[in-house]
Amino acid sequence: MNKYLVEVCCGSAEDALQAALGGADRVELCSNLFQGGLTPTLGSVKAVRENSSITLNAMIRPREGGFHYSKTELLVARRDMEAFLEFGVDGLVGGFLNEDGTIDVETTEKFVRLAGDVPVTFHRAIDVVPDWKKAIDQLADIGVKRILTSGLAPNVLLGLDTVKAMVEYAGDRLIIMPGAGITPETADKVAEYTGCKEMHVYFTKTYSDNSTVNNRAIFYGSALYPSETDYPVIDAAQIKHITRK
């Protein structure tokens, strides 16, 4: 049996259902993973809840490009939270920073209070703070349940020493959950080295939708053009590799 809980990052309801088939313990449901994950649609949250009993955490991130939000963006975040809580999500995920990259304690505390008994995860906004120990202290005092982190590095494998230090520093106050760049082959090694009890993964395979091939001059993205035919979906087989279910 695994010694760590497996959370799967999901960009769609289909992803979440595939993660459940793979034996995932929990999913983090987002949209727009190309830009780090934004708030999912209410429809996708409802679709997962109607078709699976898997523990469902929903991302609250109203836009890409950082974590210091305007009043309007914070209102959008609040309304999304209220809708997701109404439809029975098991957890909420978010991150709020000041302009200098420090934790926005006031906004985060409001977020946690609104969530009530639903646990809150602070996402990888933690990886750009100037003082991670102070950030952990602040988030623990507020009542945040866990922190998702790559150890302040581009991926976990480059930040293992920091993740390990964060796990030790946080102790029993909150959960430090490594994520970013973990593979089925490295998952056990990451858990063993860092001492983490939970892990955030994203294992996919590629599918093709050829409905756009009639006009290859068309792109629906912006300056960085993704494929208009290929799209990733969570690979249940790879999830089973680490869940052993």
Side-chain angles (χ1 to χ4, degrees):
M1 296 294 293
N2 262 359
K3 296 181 179 179
Y4 52 86
L5 179 149
V6 176
E7 175 183 280
V8 179
C9 178
C10 297
S12 67
E14 184 66 36
D15 273 355
L17 298 179
Q18 289 299 318
L21 287 175
D25 299 291
R26 184 175 65 228
V27 298
E28 178 199 74
L29 185 60
C30 312
S31 65
N32 196 5
L33 294 183
F34 182 74
Q35 292 181 301
L38 302 182
T39 305
T41 66
L42 179 58
S44 64
V45 170
K46 293 174 69 175
V48 175
R49 180 52 75 225
E50 290 169 4
N51 288 279
S52 175
S53 61
I54 193 166
T55 302
L56 171 61
N57 284 5
M59 173 66 75
I60 302 294
R61 188 181 174 202
R63 62 154 168 82
E64 69 278 15
F67 310 103
H68 180 65
Y69 301 112
S70 70
K71 289 183 178 179
T72 301
E73 289 163 345
L74 289 174
L75 178 59
V76 171
R78 181 183 181 90
R79 295 296 180 249
D80 284 332
M81 291 168 58
E82 291 169 345
F84 294 162
L85 289 168
E86 180 182 350
F87 282 95
V89 297
D90 301 298
L92 294 167
V93 183
F96 304 96
L97 301 180
N98 297 310
E99 286 187 283
D100 63 359
T102 57
I103 301 295
D104 183 342
V105 174
E106 181 180 355
T107 300
T108 306
E109 188 169 17
K110 289 179 180 177
F111 182 82
V112 172
R113 286 179 179 174
L114 179 60
D117 294 333
V118 173
V120 170
T121 299
F122 195 91
H123 59 45
R124 288 187 60 211
I126 192 73
D127 290 325
V128 295
V129 300
D131 184 341
W132 63 260
K133 289 185 178 180
K134 182 177 180 180
I136 286 177
D137 292 340
Q138 291 172 321
L139 294 174
D141 288 343
I142 290 168
V144 167
K145 175 69 173 179
R146 70 178 54 79
I147 295 173
L148 170 62
T149 180
S150 61
L152 285 66
N155 67 66
V156 169
L157 300 182
L158 297 175
L160 283 176
D161 289 336
T162 301
V163 173
K164 179 179 175 66
M166 293 171 84
V167 169
E168 293 172 351
Y169 185 77
D172 294 330
R173 293 182 293 164
L174 48 70
I175 297 164
I176 300 297
M177 178 173 61
I182 298 171
T183 68
E185 293 72 31
T186 60
D188 287 349
K189 295 177 183 178
V190 169
E192 182 178 0
Y193 186 83
T194 65
C196 70
K197 300 301 182 184
E198 300 188 6
M199 188 174 298
H200 181 86
V201 302
Y202 178 62
F203 306 152
T204 65
K205 59 183 177 180
T206 300
Y207 290 79
S208 291
D209 174 356
N210 293 317
S211 61
T212 62
V213 298
N214 290 323
N215 189 347
R216 298 310 304 129
I218 296 297
F219 291 93
Y220 296 100
S222 55
L224 294 175
Y225 294 137
S227 170
E228 298 297 351
T229 57
D230 296 341
Y231 62 98
V233 175
I234 290 297
D235 186 352
Q238 290 190 70
I239 301 300
K240 287 180 180 179
H241 184 83
I242 63 171
T243 61
R244 301 171 178 83
K245 294 182 179 178

